[in-house]
Amino acid sequence: MKKPRLTRPVLLDVQDITRLYGPAKGCEAIDFRLHAGEVLGIVGESGSGKSTLLRVLAGLEAPDAGRVIYRRAVHEPEAARADFHEPEAARAGAGEDVLDKGELERDEAELDLYAVGEARRRALLRLEWGLVHQNPRDGLRMGVSAGANIGERLMAQGQRHYGQLRATGQAWMRQVELDPGRIDDAPRTFSGGMQQRLQIARTLVTRPRLVFMDEPTGGLDVSVQARLLDMLRTLVRSLGLSVVLVTHDLAVARLLAHRLMVMRRGQVVETGLTDQILDDPQHEYTQLLVSSVLTP
Amino acid sequence: MNGYNFAYLDEQTKRMIRRALLKAVAIPGYQVPFGGREMPMPYGWGTGGVQLTASILGADDILKVIDQGADDTTNAVSIRHFFQRVAGVETTTATTAADVIQTRHRIPETPLRSGQILVFQVPIPEPLRFIEPSEQETRLMHALEEYGVMHVKLYEDIARYGHIATTYAYPVKVDGRYVMDPSPIPKFDNPKLDGNPALMLFGAGREKRLYAIPPHTRVESLDFEDHPFEIQRWEHSCALCGSDRSYLDEVITDDKGGRMFVCSDTDYCQTRRGEVA
Amino acid sequence: MLSETGVSPKPSLPRLTVDGLHKQFLLHGQGGLEIDVMRDLSLTLHAGECLVLAGRSGIGKSTLLKMLYGDYRIDQGWIRLHFDDGELDLETLPAYAWHGLRRDVIGYVSQFLRVVPRVAAVDVVMEPLLARGADENEARQRAETLLARLNLPERLWRLPPGTFSGGEQQRVNIARGFIGEHPLLLLDEPTASLDAANRDVVIALIHEAKARGTAMLGIFHDEDVRERVADRLLPLDGSLGSPAATSQSFRESLS
């Protein structure tokens, strides 16, 4: 049999990011790469700096130091994006250094998130990236209908056909298991779990390449969480999303994330394959964190 | 009149407002901040429009003031009297005779000509305000042309009423760039904004913003491909002049449900009646 | 058909070689306690071969499978996969590459089913195929065929396996493990809680996998099953187990 192609283009190159509000408040010297099609979980207790890091990564807050580089393929056809399992990437040896060099660089454009102008950055957030807030109220327009919420990003892209916007809205409601018959209802009439699914539909409708999620199952009942987790997994797979997921819940991280980064006091203490972090943690703090969880 | 500078405002203030107006004309649809003055009338009575009018008025100009299309309503009469007293300018009710027309809620039915200036009184200049309370954010949205939310509002109209139910202050895009609130004119008047030979100035006294549409500027009303912009239509003609192409007001004539539809533009209506009669 | 000598009956190239593998757990919470659980383990596995890990119960045979699957870190030693066109060293494989490897190359039937709650059994089983972008209907059909073969009552297919009996869960797990037809399959007591009829089904599945050329590494406590599936035994009493603790996992070693 042939050797599998395990290389993935680097989508986000995070270089030495520091954003401190005070000593050990915020995040410090964070360095990592997110590959296309990858779900990276950032775990840690509250105050560990994971939310600050997410805000910096998502373009909402400039770092004190460091760079966030977004590498986007310039001539990427739509079909290639859907078929994320077989990226036309360089095939090389095993080491990360070897994997990421070579042909990959060829048709990629680099975008330095905080070096480009605000216009460019905001357009990026609006068109190619997505952000799912913990509290759906922060991500939804509570005063307008579910359909308008889903359609907003499309309208921002210039879609001007009401009938099509509505059809897309209904299709997405079905996709996130909401009753399409409620397309004209305001989000405030929805339950918390339904609002969260609506927020996800609103974010994913433009098929972003990169999605940031901040405790997406955080405020929900356990029974609702499970359904949402399954839905997120399915969407990540079918849309070929790359995700940075912030969560304090190791069970959520286990089910969603391919890879984990453990943070404490603003710094990354350990990083690796999710199962390895949770089953064979190396760092003292990670061992404490993992052994403190009630359910495995 | 003694004790006042010509047209009430001091010359420094007029110059400041004129500079702002020049900027507004140079960037059609863009809201320019200006240092609004206290006027001898409360906000909401047209202080923005009055300051603009005062700044551009010349001694030879003939002024017309309308409110809801009418020259004889309280607001129109008092502003007209104000300028008669502080500037001593000639006033008129005839659209064709006026050099400067200050207006609230309407654009005259009689087509304007080159050289005329229409001054709008604007209550809320920011078309994005309904969705975004932060001024800093709305300015950024304008700067970056982030106008998706304007269509959210129209979408919501169609979802709720089956058509775009916004009938006044209907948002427009000026010269393909800035989204602008045309002040609370009925959308019936929106087509008159497009390519108009007159200069149109907008003043918001409370918010201290002014903006402009220079003559012959492209002004499009926002809409959807499958729900194009449409103006109001009436089944009636004007009960007084018989016009079937003007904006009509419904007037209650008695306590028994009697009513009639008449032109909101009194000058237009009277002129037609003069012609007809 | 056991070959005590350790010589493969197949002339094919090795698919997997393990050389000088060590594993040690360092428990910071217990005053830096070090537990050696594996010393100098080496093995070679060929395509179409089922190698069975042998040794006393409780010495941590799962540890090796977990290292091969990336659950445990490889501290010392080499794990190498062989392909027609090259090799892949797992000890240096970057973390991001592991999920692709698991999707396409290494399959794992664990002892316990770990899934998103409330997801139907059939969806759990078909997921490895969907992860490769397979057609959903086709994947569902194959999942149902496997579940039927493993005698899981049809009324359970649409139910989440959380409430199933141990044996029923195990069969869902087996179906999920076999559906992907990975070229390397790790089997951690797949028949432990099965009755004789279902054990036979699993044995048949293993034989079919061998015929496809799948290389398998398994733990089977049941003597009869072991006899029927093993091409070779790998004795581990010398290299597994610890004088300090018989640790099977980090979590267990903490309790």
Side-chain angles (χ1 to χ4, degrees):
Chain A
M1 67 171 295
K2 296 278 185 210
K3 192 169 159 179
R5 282 189 276 163
L6 302 175
T7 54
R8 302 280 180 94
V10 172
L11 202 63
L12 204 62
D13 192 349
V14 177
Q15 301 172 357
D16 212 17
I17 286 292
T18 295
R19 176 76 183 104
L20 287 175
Y21 306 102
K25 275 188 184 159
C27 59
E28 197 169 2
I30 310 291
D31 209 83
F32 71 91
R33 289 192 267 188
L34 179 78
H35 299 76
E38 193 177 30
V39 180
L40 175 73
I42 303 176
V43 297
E45 294 167 315
S46 47
S48 60
K50 56 189 194 304
S51 293
T52 302
L53 176 60
L54 191 81
R55 288 181 58 78
V56 173
L57 298 180
L60 302 178
E61 190 165 328
D64 302 329
R67 301 200 305 164
V68 179
I69 306 291
Y70 173 53
R71 293 194 193 162
R72 52 208 287 264
V74 183
H75 306 293
E76 188 186 38
E78 201 63 32
R81 198 195 293 182
D83 184 21
F84 67 104
H85 295 125
E86 297 295 336
E88 279 304 317
R91 28 217 154 296
E96 184 153 23
D97 283 339
V98 187
L99 286 183
D100 291 329
K101 281 183 183 149
E103 293 170 65
L104 277 187
E105 311 287 343
R106 190 187 48 210
D107 53 356
E108 279 177 347
E110 283 197 355
L111 189 147
D112 185 334
L113 190 59
Y114 291 98
V116 298
E118 187 166 20
R120 192 83 192 284
R121 182 163 59 250
R122 281 172 66 123
L124 185 73
L125 305 189
R126 201 170 61 236
L127 304 176
E128 285 185 46
W129 290 10
L131 174 60
V132 176
H133 300 263
Q134 171 173 7
N135 187 343
R137 287 167 181 275
D138 295 336
L140 290 172
R141 291 198 191 280
M142 300 303 285
V144 302
S145 67
N149 267 285
I150 298 175
E152 181 172 342
R153 277 171 71 107
L154 295 171
M155 291 184 249
Q157 290 186 349
Q159 272 208 30
R160 293 288 178 265
H161 194 283
Y162 175 80
Q164 281 169 14
L165 287 164
R166 200 168 171 78
T168 308
Q170 283 170 328
W172 267 96
M173 287 184 80
R174 269 188 287 273
Q175 176 108 36
V176 297
E177 300 171 34
L178 291 171
D179 174 8
R182 298 197 58 183
I183 189 166
D184 295 332
D185 293 356
R188 68 168 67 88
T189 66
F190 289 11
S191 70
M194 289 163 70
Q195 288 179 4
Q196 192 57 295
R197 278 178 275 147
L198 183 62
Q199 187 193 187
I200 287 163
R202 168 184 162 90
T203 308
L204 299 187
V205 67
T206 50
R207 305 214 158 208
R209 291 162 53 85
L210 176 57
V211 180
F212 299 93
M213 298 185 185
D214 187 6
E215 307 269 11
T217 60
L220 303 177
D221 292 341
V222 178
S223 58
V224 180
Q225 267 194 25
R227 196 168 157 200
L228 191 71
L229 280 174
D230 178 47
M231 204 191 78
L232 284 174
R233 268 167 74 110
T234 305
L235 289 171
V236 164
R237 186 185 61 219
S238 59
L239 299 177
L241 299 177
S242 307
V243 180
V244 177
L245 165 79
V246 158
T247 180
H248 71 280
D249 188 335
L250 295 183
V252 169
R254 168 88 84 178
L255 292 173
L256 283 182
H258 299 127
R259 211 153 54 87
L260 289 187
M261 232 164 68
V262 184
M263 287 189 69
R264 184 180 65 153
R265 289 187 200 149
Q267 295 186 324
V268 172
V269 297
E270 187 167 353
T271 170
L273 188 65
T274 298
D275 287 338
Q276 207 172 97
I277 296 285
L278 298 179
D279 292 340
D280 186 16
Q282 306 292 314
H283 191 276
E284 183 175 359
Y285 175 72
T286 316
Q287 291 192 355
L288 180 70
L289 200 65
V290 171
S291 61
S292 306
V293 176
L294 292 176
T295 47
Chain B
M1 182 177 173
N2 292 329
Y4 288 105
N5 187 33
F6 175 76
Y8 187 76
L9 289 178
D10 62 277
E11 291 303 312
Q12 287 297 341
T13 299
K14 288 186 195 173
R15 273 198 281 274
M16 175 269 294
I17 291 176
R18 287 177 202 141
R19 276 196 296 271
L21 285 171
L22 285 174
K23 184 170 180 181
V25 168
I27 316 171
Y30 172 75
Q31 298 168 49
V32 183
F34 72 100
R37 297 292 185 254
E38 289 296 321
M39 298 301 286
M41 59 189 75
Y43 291 128
W45 284 64
T47 55
V50 167
Q51 289 180 77
L52 262 54
T53 300
S55 303
I56 59 170
L57 209 55
D60 304 338
D61 284 333
I62 302 172
L63 176 69
K64 170 183 163 79
V65 183
I66 50 173
D67 174 14
Q68 305 274 12
D71 294 88
D72 54 0
T73 56
T74 310
N75 195 242
V77 169
S78 55
I79 291 174
R80 194 161 59 232
H81 284 167
F82 174 75
F83 280 112
Q84 277 169 348
R85 288 180 63 191
V86 300
V89 293
E90 192 181 331
T91 61
T92 181
T93 58
T95 300
T96 49
D99 297 304
V100 176
I101 304 171
Q102 179 166 335
T103 177
R104 175 168 172 258
H105 288 170
R106 285 304 314 280
I107 296 174
E109 307 289 1
T110 308
L112 301 176
R113 57 176 159 75
S114 176
Q116 285 183 311
I117 301 177
L118 193 59
V119 177
F120 293 77
Q121 301 168 207
V122 180
I124 300 166
E126 180 49 73
L128 298 165
R129 184 65 70 232
F130 76 100
I131 206 103
E132 179 51 64
S134 157
E135 172 71 13
Q136 193 184 350
E137 182 65 16
T138 51
R139 292 182 72 130
L140 198 58
M141 290 164 82
H142 281 294
L144 304 179
E145 284 187 81
E146 287 183 8
Y147 291 138
V149 291
M150 292 311 301
H151 277 86
V152 169
K153 189 180 183 214
L154 301 180
Y155 174 100
E156 203 61 4
D157 263 7
I158 304 172
R160 221 173 273 176
Y161 308 108
H163 61 276
I164 299 178
T166 300
T167 52
Y168 63 93
Y170 191 107
V172 294
K173 195 167 216 182
V174 181
D175 199 26
R177 175 59 181 83
Y178 283 96
V179 165
M180 190 195 92
D181 185 335
S183 91
I185 57 170
K187 66 177 176 181
F188 179 87
D189 285 341
N190 271 26
K192 297 177 190 161
L193 297 168
D194 183 30
N196 199 306
L199 169 64
M200 291 183 276
L201 305 177
F202 299 77
R206 191 182 352 234
E207 310 234 2
K208 298 176 176 51
R209 293 284 184 279
L210 55 83
Y211 47 102
I213 301 175
H216 308 291
T217 301
R218 183 161 51 100
V219 179
E220 303 150 283
S221 301
L222 304 182
D223 62 1
F224 287 101
E225 290 161 17
D226 49 344
H227 285 267
F229 172 81
E230 282 177 351
I231 60 171
Q232 294 104 319
R233 302 200 181 282
W234 287 264
E235 293 170 12
H236 310 264
S237 296
C238 173
L240 299 177
C241 76
S243 171
D244 57 359
R245 60 190 60 188
S246 69
Y247 187 83
L248 299 181
D249 283 337
E250 185 179 354
V251 179
I252 308 294
T253 53
D254 54 35
D255 292 340
K256 301 175 190 116
R259 61 205 179 118
M260 63 177 189
F261 288 87
V262 297
C263 291
S264 99
D265 185 336
T266 50
D267 171 60
Y268 171 79
C269 196
Q270 284 162 5
T271 306
R272 275 178 57 83
R273 274 180 283 158
E275 282 170 9
V276 170
Chain C
M1 234 202 276
L2 294 182
S3 149
E4 297 289 340
T5 59
V7 174
S8 168
K10 315 244 174 195
S12 61
L13 290 164
R15 178 144 288 170
L16 167 74
T17 48
V18 175
D19 196 12
L21 212 54
H22 289 255
K23 183 64 190 169
Q24 184 185 61
F25 289 116
L26 171 63
L27 305 181
H28 296 285
Q30 301 186 12
L33 178 65
E34 291 177 6
I35 308 171
D36 285 312
V37 293
M38 182 185 295
R39 292 170 302 278
D40 198 23
L41 187 150
S42 301
L43 68 88
T44 304
L45 180 66
H46 295 80
E49 182 185 34
C50 181
L51 179 61
V52 173
L53 309 184
R56 308 190 305 278
S57 101
I59 61 169
K61 292 187 285 283
S62 298
T63 302
L64 175 60
L65 300 189
K66 288 179 175 172
M67 289 176 79
L68 287 166
Y69 199 60
D71 280 3
Y72 288 173
R73 210 166 82 149
I74 305 159
D75 299 324
Q76 199 186 330
W78 295 267
I79 297 177
R80 179 169 286 183
L81 292 173
H82 304 268
F83 301 92
D84 300 343
D85 53 346
E87 291 159 348
L88 202 59
D89 289 319
L90 299 194
E91 72 279 358
T92 55
L93 194 68
Y96 82 82
W98 270 96
H99 66 268
L101 189 72
R102 288 171 165 192
R103 190 190 61 218
D104 297 331
V105 180
I106 306 180
Y108 187 29
V109 180
S110 60
Q111 266 176 293
F112 305 102
L113 188 62
R114 180 151 53 204
V115 292
V116 182
R118 300 188 143 216
V119 176
V122 66
D123 291 320
V124 169
V125 172
M126 63 200 263
E127 198 184 354
L129 294 183
L130 296 182
R132 294 180 193 159
D135 172 72
E136 186 167 336
N137 288 328
E138 214 168 284
R140 187 173 298 278
Q141 216 157 31
R142 282 181 61 188
E144 289 178 352
T145 307
L146 263 175
L147 287 174
R149 229 182 128 184
L150 284 155
N151 303 305
L152 191 77
E154 198 171 336
R155 64 186 163 80
L156 297 182
W157 294 358
R158 308 268 174 262
L159 298 178
T163 53
F164 291 7
S165 73
E168 287 161 350
Q169 287 196 6
Q170 181 64 318
R171 277 177 276 161
V172 172
N173 212 13
I174 289 163
R176 179 184 166 89
F178 276 88
I179 198 168
E181 300 189 351
H182 293 83
L184 175 60
L185 198 52
L186 310 173
L187 306 166
D188 194 348
E189 304 213 39
T191 56
S193 39
L194 300 186
D195 59 25
N198 282 314
R199 267 204 303 274
D200 287 344
V201 177
V202 175
I203 290 165
L205 286 173
I206 292 173
H207 282 298
E208 288 162 27
K210 275 193 210 179
R212 279 197 303 271
T214 306
M216 279 169 285
L217 202 59
I219 301 169
F220 300 94
H221 281 163
D222 187 307
E223 197 77 38
D224 169 55
V225 176
R226 201 188 303 168
E227 291 283 329
R228 288 165 67 188
V229 301
D231 295 301
R232 279 189 297 142
L233 292 178
L234 181 71
L236 292 173
D237 283 322
S239 49
L240 284 184
S242 160
T246 55
S247 161
Q248 279 203 308
S249 79
F250 165 77
R251 202 182 301 284
E252 287 158 33
S253 64
L254 282 167
S255 54

